[in-house]
Amino acid sequence: GGQHCLVNAQAITDPDKTTVAYLLVGQDATRLVEAEQQRQLIGLGISAAILILSQVIAYLMVSRGITRPISRIITFAETLATGDVATSLTLKATGEIRTMTNSLNAMADHIRTQATLAQRIAEGDLPVEVVPASDKDLLGQSLVAITDNLGQMIEQISENAKHLFEVATSVG
């Protein structure tokens, strides 16, 4: 910078307190101005550092609040994809994360129910009632078709056996 001057005007008064003159005192204020500029720069630097630090902390808190639940949701979905439907997802979340958690749990419940029905059918419990979740529920509709087809096959086999029995008793 240049040279800075600080001027102070001091009133000179008589005994009656009437101003009779002014005394101007001037002094070199370059160091004072430079010190003030340095203080302002330091204050600005500290303010910027606080702002950046607060932004980093806010980012970490928000990202941790999103990435941890998403990571658990991904792990749960991968577990479901392997056929393990014995678990459910428990997250303390709000908004979209909660909606996603509830939807995945509903999907797991549906898969669990359908797997239990398939197991009962495999064990021979053909009168089991299968109700598809919707007209697009391919697994539910397939289980209905399996029970219907197996029921029809058993009826046909039963009729054939009855007919064979009648033939055998009429011959013998």
Side-chain angles (χ1 to χ4, degrees), residues 13 28 42 45 68 87 103 132 141:
T13 60
D28 184 10
I42 290 171
R68 279 187 181 165
T87 63
S103 296
Q141 291 177 3

Side-chain angles (χ1 to χ4, degrees), residues 57-101:
I57 290 170
Y59 169 77
L60 290 175
M61 290 176 67
V62 168
S63 69
R64 190 173 288 161
I66 293 172
T67 56
R68 279 187 181 165
I70 294 293
S71 177
R72 290 191 52 209
I73 288 170
I74 290 169
T75 301
F76 179 70
E78 288 170 346
T79 301
L80 284 179
T82 66
D84 181 0
V85 294
T87 63
S88 61
L89 184 59
T90 306
L91 285 177
K92 292 179 182 176
T94 58
E96 291 83 3
I97 301 280
R98 180 183 206 105
T99 302
M100 191 181 318
T101 299

Side-chain angles (χ1 to χ4, degrees), residues 89-166:
L89 184 59
T90 306
L91 285 177
K92 292 179 182 176
T94 58
E96 291 83 3
I97 301 280
R98 180 183 206 105
T99 302
M100 191 181 318
T101 299
N102 292 342
S103 296
L104 283 171
N105 279 327
M107 182 175 69
D109 288 342
H110 178 71
I111 293 170
R112 242 187 318 277
T113 300
Q114 299 296 52
T116 300
L117 290 173
Q119 189 174 20
R120 286 177 59 191
I121 292 168
E123 292 169 353
D125 185 5
L126 296 182
V128 68
E129 183 181 357
V130 178
V131 179
S134 72
D135 60 337
K136 295 182 181 184
D137 182 3
L138 182 60
L139 179 58
Q141 291 177 3
S142 297
L143 289 174
V144 168
I146 288 171
T147 56
D148 289 349
N149 289 340
L150 286 175
Q152 289 173 3
M153 287 173 55
I154 289 172
E155 280 182 38
Q156 186 65 42
I157 290 170
S158 181
E159 286 179 24
N160 289 345
K162 196 186 286 183
H163 182 29
L164 280 174
F165 178 74
E166 290 171 359

